[in-house]
Amino acid sequence: MLANDDLHFTLRHMSETSQHIASAIPILETKLYAPRWHADLISRPRLIQRFEQGKKQKLILISAPAGFGKSTLLAEHLASQSGAETEVAWVSLDENDNDPILFWTYFFASLRNSFPDASDQALSLLHSAQAAPIETTLTTLINHISQSSIAVNVHLDDLHLVTNTTIVEALGFLLTHMPENMRLYIATRSDPDLPLSRLRARGKLLELKAADLRFTPEETNAFLQQSMSLNLTADQIKSLETRTEGWIAGLQMAALSMQGRSDVDAFVNAFAGDDRFIIDYLLQEVLQSQSSDVRNFLLQSAILDRLSGPLCDAVTGFKESHLLLQQLERNNLFIIPLDEKRQWYRYHHLFADMLLSRLQNEQPQELADLHIKASRWYEGNDLIEKAIEHALAAEDMQHAAELIEPLWAIMDKRLQSATWMKWALQLPETEVTRRPVINVGIAWAMLDSGELDNIETRLRETEDLLAKMKDPGDPQERRRHGIEMTDKKHYHYLPAHIATARAYRAQAMGDSQSTIRYTRQALDHFNEDDHVEYGSASALLGLAYWSSGEMTAAYQTFSNVLDKFAKTDNVLLAIGPLFVLSDIKAAQGYLIQATNQYRQSLEKIYALEDIVLPGTASLHMGLCAVYCEQGELFAAKKELETCQALPDNARLPSNAYKLLVTKSLLKEASGQADEAIELLYEAERLYFHNPMPNIYSFGGIRTRIWLSLDNLPEALAWVRSENLSPDDDISFLKEYDYVTLSKVFVLRHRHNPRKGFAQKALSILDRMLPAAEKEDRIRSIIDILITRALAYRTMDDVEAALPPLERALELAGPQGYQRMFVSESHAMQTLLRHAVGAGIGGDYARGLLAAFTDGSPAGIADADHELANPLTAREIEILRLIAAGMRNQEIADHLFISLSTVKRHIANAYGKLDAGHRTEAIARAKTLKLL
């Protein structure tokens, strides 16, 4: 249960933009309310003792059909724990909780009393603009709880109503990694698809099934005589226990039916058979014992999954329903309170199902009207989601559509597009097509769910509809063409949103030219003064330029986006484009500029107190990759450690696979090729199509590692799997793969010189070099030139190999490249010796030769071994600038930090290196291969 301010906090995370959501506090409170057990209910000490014996189990599973007292048993267990040190969290589940965002919102909110910081962080991450994988969020929660002295029991009631496999799999992840001070209690009608066998084998599972929950003869006697105040004979009690087989719901209905009857014997002998027969018989008996008003109330309120006095008044026409609800509770008539104030209730699920079935049989003509009344009440109380559900149930499709349309933008921001689409797809297609905002919203929801292939039909339908009108904004024109509109802003922007949807799909599919065309169409419709909309569409254009290899245009576009977002009041939005600008410079090959931009971005982010920006981890991963390329493995390792230590809300969804790729780069650079390859396979499994350019394919990276190991069969298998040919057209997104293909040909030539494979490699490289030079992609240029030099070297033409090598060294030297050369192993080592002998490359070439020592990478092991207190990445960076001849003030200006900060880093570095001055510090750092 949560205090009211905790509820407000949770709801703010559900949507800061939704104006109606604050009214959902009563509904949320009922979800997290743990039912109370009281002395009037029959106590079950034998089962409570089972709970006590199961304190070491991770999962306590209560699995039985309806009416076996699962929730009541949990309530008694909670009561038995009163005053204990263990905290309690409770979530009552229903069909609507199949939305992962809703489910985990309730789950994390239920923990807020016990672990406020962990709950707040999980909710923030769950509802952030770029949500991380739920497993990442759960890992942070698990870590928080494991470090606490507090124990917590989390109760999930009616889990059988949650069928979403994503939720169930995440629960399995939680169970597998749950700490010792956390226990999960699940009440369900059927066993969930969780790792029960593994938990059972490890002794971590306590199970209570129907056979355990059935009333024993003693419990039956106590229930009927004490709880239900019946005066029955032993034979009558035995007969009822035998007929119901200890089934609690059957016994309760029988008891209700017998109250006030004189012919108890006749009643006991009258029913027999299976559960369905007993329930039909007993329900009839229970309803007949009520007044006609109460009976009608029960039937008509059965359409509601939660009951309150005002809501029931509106639906049933009954006056002062709150008094009747309290009376039903006093009479034990299958009604359960959902809050302390007794403002909200629900019927026992089995009872509600039977009442609804009876209503459908007896008053089918009333169903639609009852749902309409419920919908109108919910709408009037700003509970729009519930209003939509009842409007759909009433088949009041026009009104449902009026409610659904304006929720699209809100629920999209709340990452609940799947729930919105579930509602929208229940509308008749005729209603959808005449509401273009809904039709385009469905297309966007499909994109969000990864359905890239089925959106064009909806976009074209909307486009054709708008094209029929001379002025789509004219209300009379809309009416003439049968078009309905509730959301004015998004209707106005429909052409832009259609174009942006096409651009998003094209970009995710790697079609950068179509992305550029559609994004320009969208920008023509957006107002430039709408900085968020215009800037967001421009960002998609920048990604398209990047995907097509137009790095200068991409960088300039994102610089413009940065200017746009800087004019908004959102400081986090204003920093976001810095991430991409840094990545563009790194992809282009300007390592020093990329490093500076990564650092500047991080300093701006860390200057924001108490704010963690999604994407911070990406900056540290970018720095790690740059340092790996420069051979600064100690600094790379430190960046990776910093990245992994960040809270989960510092990550983007794509960070899961990018982190594995980054780890792979460091492993490969450290000489651990097998581990690097395995990490790449794992990363590929986690990859999903998204608008960010993927310029280094997983297979291409793996193949380069295989080539460094002289593993030609694996390399050739990759070429065949990708169906690569020297005569293919080569786009920028495939450039890395075709340079890799050229490297495969070079190795094949070494194994079989007479086939002319090196010449094939040169023909591919000759075609790619002009495009890379045109866009100043120096990383690609260096990669191509190195491969050209190796091709000539394999043909024993060292004289032809030296010019491309010389140019590669000229471009690579100022940026500090190392791995691109060293990873080519002995062939490059031989070429570099020739270059040094010919006076090519100077100190830079000699430094590269030194990096080949023992044929093993240097950096991490040496630094860790030699220095008891290793240098930080910033200290190494400043030492490198000192070695380049910069003065302290120049370093401060270059890194955008204060002079005093530079001096502090220098002093720390001198102390760690045991050096008294600059020259000694630089010499010592070079000896340790830190520079």
Side-chain angles (χ1 to χ4, degrees):
M1 292 172 294
L2 299 180
N4 203 47
D5 58 338
D6 293 331
L7 290 172
H8 279 287
F9 176 90
T10 302
L11 290 163
R12 281 203 309 275
H13 280 292
M14 289 177 71
S15 174
E16 293 184 6
T17 59
S18 175
Q19 296 179 351
H20 69 269
I21 197 67
S23 300
I25 289 177
I27 299 298
L28 180 61
E29 188 174 9
T30 64
K31 300 286 292 184
L32 308 182
Y33 176 77
R36 295 291 182 261
W37 185 87
H38 50 86
D40 292 341
L41 299 173
I42 181 67
S43 177
R44 314 194 72 185
R46 66 182 178 88
L47 297 179
I48 298 303
Q49 188 176 6
R50 292 277 302 275
F51 283 139
E52 292 301 311
Q53 294 169 352
K55 281 188 174 180
K56 293 185 179 180
Q57 273 74 25
K58 280 189 172 186
L59 173 62
I60 292 82
L61 179 65
I62 307 173
S63 179
F68 274 89
K70 300 182 290 293
S71 300
T72 305
L73 178 61
L74 284 181
E76 183 180 358
H77 175 246
L78 291 183
S80 72
Q81 299 294 302
S82 178
E85 295 181 358
T86 302
E87 296 281 341
V88 172
W90 183 285
V91 182
S92 296
L93 299 166
D94 57 45
E95 292 89 342
N96 293 323
D97 299 328
N98 281 286
D99 184 318
I101 297 295
L102 278 180
F103 178 92
W104 292 111
T105 293
Y106 297 138
F107 187 95
F108 296 144
S110 74
L111 292 165
R112 194 160 192 268
N113 276 350
S114 309
F115 306 97
D117 292 341
S119 173
D120 293 356
Q121 186 178 22
L123 287 165
S124 296
L125 180 58
L126 185 68
H127 294 282
S128 65
Q130 296 285 350
I134 189 61
E135 290 79 6
T136 307
T137 308
L138 288 172
T139 299
T140 297
L141 182 75
I142 290 164
N143 290 338
H144 273 283
I145 294 175
S146 66
Q147 294 167 14
S148 172
S149 59
I150 299 172
V152 64
N153 293 337
V154 182
H155 299 75
L156 300 179
D157 196 19
D158 290 326
L159 186 65
H160 58 277
L161 297 173
V162 176
T163 57
N164 185 299
T165 56
T166 302
I167 295 173
V168 177
E169 288 171 2
L171 275 176
F173 176 89
L174 173 64
L175 271 170
T176 301
H177 300 90
M178 211 157 63
E180 291 299 320
N181 58 330
M182 185 177 186
R183 217 155 267 103
L184 191 60
Y185 289 74
I186 290 176
T188 177
R189 292 187 187 178
S190 57
D191 285 354
D193 190 14
L194 296 171
L196 301 181
S197 299
R198 185 164 68 242
L199 291 169
R200 198 177 288 123
R202 295 176 180 176
K204 296 296 183 182
L205 172 64
L206 171 64
E207 294 177 274
L208 295 177
K209 299 290 186 145
D212 302 298
L213 298 177
R214 295 182 191 278
F215 270 174
T216 63
E218 294 77 18
E219 289 170 338
T220 301
N221 181 72
F223 174 72
L224 293 173
Q225 303 281 58
Q226 298 171 22
S227 297
M228 302 304 293
S229 302
L230 294 172
N231 186 18
L232 303 177
T233 66
D235 287 343
Q236 289 169 337
I237 292 172
K238 183 178 180 180
S239 180
L240 287 170
E241 193 270 331
T242 301
R243 298 282 177 87
T244 60
E245 296 182 341
W247 181 40
I248 301 167
L251 283 168
Q252 185 175 1
M253 285 199 185
L256 288 169
S257 300
M258 287 186 290
Q259 287 176 341
R261 296 183 69 128
S262 58
D263 56 342
V264 172
D265 266 336
F267 176 84
V268 170
N269 294 325
F271 71 89
D274 60 19
D275 292 349
R276 186 73 256 170
F277 174 84
I278 293 172
I279 280 297
D280 288 342
Y281 178 84
L282 294 178
L283 178 63
Q284 179 64 26
E285 293 292 322
V286 169
L287 290 178
Q288 282 185 348
S289 67
Q290 310 300 321
S291 68
S292 60
D293 285 344
V294 172
R295 184 180 185 278
N296 215 38
F297 178 89
L298 290 171
L299 292 175
Q300 294 189 350
S301 60
I303 68 161
L304 304 170
D305 57 4
R306 278 168 175 73
L307 312 164
S308 74
L311 173 58
C312 290
D313 285 350
V315 172
T316 67
F318 203 87
K319 303 301 182 185
E320 297 184 331
S321 295
H322 68 285
L323 297 177
L324 181 54
L325 291 171
Q326 292 171 10
Q327 178 188 328
L328 294 175
E329 182 191 3
R330 286 194 298 272
N331 293 341
N332 292 320
L333 201 61
F334 295 95
I335 191 167
I336 300 166
L338 296 176
D339 58 34
E340 295 282 3
K341 298 178 181 178
R342 298 308 200 259
Q343 292 179 339
W344 287 88
Y345 297 82
R346 72 169 174 86
Y347 291 128
H348 186 290
H349 295 312
L350 181 63
F351 190 58
D353 290 345
M354 293 184 298
L355 288 174
L356 190 58
S357 176
R358 185 62 60 93
L359 175 66
Q360 290 168 338
N361 288 331
E362 294 184 6
Q363 303 177 28
Q365 72 284 356
E366 299 293 330
L367 271 172
D369 187 52
L370 292 170
H371 280 296
I372 288 172
K373 290 176 181 177
S375 178
R376 294 296 193 271
W377 186 90
Y378 278 122
E379 183 184 0
N381 286 272
D382 290 330
L383 295 167
I384 305 302
E385 289 91 339
K386 301 298 294 181
I388 290 171
E389 290 169 9
H390 283 283
L392 290 170
E395 297 185 358
D396 185 0
M397 296 306 181
Q398 181 173 343
H399 189 59
E402 290 171 356
L403 296 172
I404 288 169
E405 182 175 316
L407 268 194
W408 160 246
I410 294 170
M411 296 189 74
D412 187 43
K413 287 185 175 69
R414 281 162 50 183
L415 305 179
Q416 289 183 273
S417 58
T419 295
W420 183 89
M421 183 164 65
K422 180 188 73 174
W423 295 332
L425 290 178
Q426 292 180 59
L427 298 171
E429 199 59 35
T430 53
E431 189 68 39
V432 171
T433 52
R434 73 192 192 104
R435 286 187 173 272
V437 173
I438 292 181
N439 213 3
V440 172
I442 292 174
W444 267 107
M446 293 167 74
L447 285 175
D448 289 343
S449 67
E451 293 184 51
L452 301 180
D453 298 328
N454 301 310
I455 70 161
E456 183 57 30
T457 299
R458 295 191 178 277
L459 298 179
R460 192 175 297 280
E461 282 176 352
T462 304
E463 209 168 39
D464 292 345
L465 190 61
L466 296 176
K468 292 177 181 178
M469 295 183 287
K470 295 179 180 179
D471 180 6
D474 182 357
Q476 292 184 350
E477 184 85 358
R478 287 201 306 271
R479 281 195 294 272
R480 194 158 46 245
H481 287 84
I483 294 175
E484 297 289 341
M485 179 270 292
T486 309
D487 188 338
K488 186 175 181 180
K489 177 183 176 182
H490 288 89
Y491 177 83
H492 174 72
Y493 275 150
L494 273 174
H497 289 152
I498 291 171
T500 309
R502 285 174 172 152
Y504 183 101
R505 180 187 180 279
Q507 180 64 14
M509 298 298 292
D511 183 357
S512 54
Q513 294 307 309
S514 294
T515 306
I516 292 170
R517 184 172 74 255
Y518 290 131
T519 306
R520 285 174 175 162
Q521 290 177 12
L523 291 173
D524 287 341
H525 292 285
F526 284 127
N527 187 332
E528 282 202 49
D529 292 333
D530 190 338
H531 301 304
V532 175
E533 293 277 14
Y534 197 90
S536 298
S538 298
L540 202 54
L541 181 63
L543 293 178
Y545 284 137
W546 182 359
S547 295
S548 62
E550 300 175 60
M551 310 304 279
T552 303
Y555 192 88
Q556 184 58 54
T557 301
F558 265 95
S559 296
N560 295 338
V561 171
L562 185 65
D563 292 340
K564 282 284 182 189
F565 288 168
K567 296 175 183 177
T568 69
D569 295 330
N570 190 328
V571 65
L572 303 185
L573 192 64
I575 291 176
L578 291 174
F579 299 0
V580 184
L581 288 169
S582 306
D583 284 343
I584 289 173
K585 279 300 174 188
Q588 194 172 4
Y590 285 100
L591 303 186
I592 300 299
Q593 287 180 308
T595 300
N596 292 338
Q597 289 199 221
Y598 283 130
R599 288 292 175 201
Q600 291 169 32
S601 301
L602 285 170
E603 291 201 3
K604 289 184 178 181
I605 289 169
Y606 290 134
L608 301 172
E609 296 182 4
D610 301 324
I611 296 177
V612 180
L613 190 63
T616 306
S618 297
L619 296 171
H620 287 288
M621 282 188 271
L623 276 172
C624 179
V626 169
Y627 287 141
C628 281
E629 187 60 66
Q630 293 174 327
E632 298 181 13
L633 303 190
F634 182 81
K637 180 184 177 186
K638 288 298 180 185
E639 291 298 333
L640 184 60
E641 290 172 349
T642 302
C643 172
Q644 291 176 300
L646 289 170
D648 293 335
N649 51 342
R651 308 181 194 282
L652 297 168
S654 60
N655 287 166
Y657 70 83
K658 284 185 178 179
L659 180 59
L660 294 173
V661 173
T662 306
K663 286 181 178 179
S664 173
L665 293 176
L666 189 54
K667 289 286 186 184
E668 187 274 333
S670 304
Q672 299 168 279
D674 290 342
E675 291 91 334
I677 289 171
E678 285 304 312
L679 285 166
L680 287 169
Y681 277 121
E682 189 177 350
E684 190 169 14
R685 284 192 292 272
L686 294 178
Y687 176 75
F688 58 91
H689 286 288
N690 63 87
M692 289 297 291
N694 185 34
I695 58 179
Y696 306 118
S697 71
F698 299 104
I701 302 172
R702 280 196 301 269
T703 299
R704 293 199 182 198
I705 298 175
W706 284 322
L707 290 172
S708 71
L709 300 174
D710 205 26
N711 189 337
L712 186 57
E714 288 284 6
L716 289 174
W718 170 74
V719 173
R720 287 192 296 271
S721 69
E722 295 297 312
N723 196 27
L724 301 178
S725 165
D727 301 322
D728 294 339
D729 291 331
I730 304 171
S731 67
F732 169 67
L733 289 179
K734 283 291 186 178
E735 184 179 73
Y736 182 83
D737 282 355
Y738 280 91
V739 176
T740 306
L741 174 63
S742 302
K743 293 177 184 291
V744 174
F745 282 141
V746 170
L747 184 58
R748 291 189 75 180
H749 190 96
R750 200 164 73 220
H751 283 266
N752 191 349
R754 286 178 291 186
K755 293 288 187 178
F757 289 117
Q759 288 86 347
K760 291 183 179 181
L762 289 170
S763 70
I764 297 172
L765 299 168
D766 288 344
R767 286 197 293 130
M768 287 193 291
L769 186 58
E773 290 174 328
K774 179 183 177 182
E775 292 298 330
D776 195 28
R777 300 195 297 263
I778 65 168
R779 191 192 190 287
S780 298
I781 296 169
I782 295 168
D783 200 14
I784 291 168
L785 292 171
I786 286 174
T787 310
R788 281 176 59 86
L790 291 170
Y792 285 120
R793 167 68 182 81
T794 306
M795 297 165 65
D796 295 324
D797 192 347
V798 174
E799 184 177 353
L802 289 180
L805 178 61
E806 181 176 15
R807 188 174 171 217
L809 292 170
E810 289 172 352
L811 292 171
Q815 303 300 324
Y817 281 90
Q818 185 190 94
R819 284 304 305 162
M820 199 175 288
F821 294 89
V822 174
S823 62
E824 300 293 350
S825 195
H826 300 297
M828 178 54 66
Q829 189 176 19
T830 301
L831 267 182
L832 284 170
R833 287 198 185 105
H834 284 288
V836 170
I840 294 172
D843 290 341
Y844 175 58
R846 283 188 287 273
L848 290 176
L849 268 177
F852 279 94
T853 53
D854 303 327
S856 62
I860 292 179
D862 293 328
D864 285 345
H865 177 72
E866 295 288 345
L867 288 180
N869 188 10
L871 297 177
T872 66
R874 178 63 99 189
E875 289 161 358
I876 293 172
E877 185 175 25
I878 288 175
L879 284 175
R880 188 170 68 248
L881 296 174
I882 291 172
M886 283 192 180
R887 297 180 182 276
N888 289 356
Q889 186 59 59
E890 291 173 325
I891 294 172
D893 295 340
H894 183 72
L895 297 179
F896 294 91
I897 58 178
S898 68
L899 180 60
S900 62
T901 300
V902 172
K903 290 179 178 179
R904 187 179 74 250
H905 284 306
I906 291 174
N908 290 340
Y910 285 6
K912 292 175 181 180
L913 292 167
D914 193 23
H917 50 76
R918 286 188 169 212
T919 304
E920 187 178 3
I922 298 303
R924 174 78 168 140
K926 286 184 175 180
T927 301
L928 294 172
K929 298 184 174 63
L930 297 176
L931 299 179

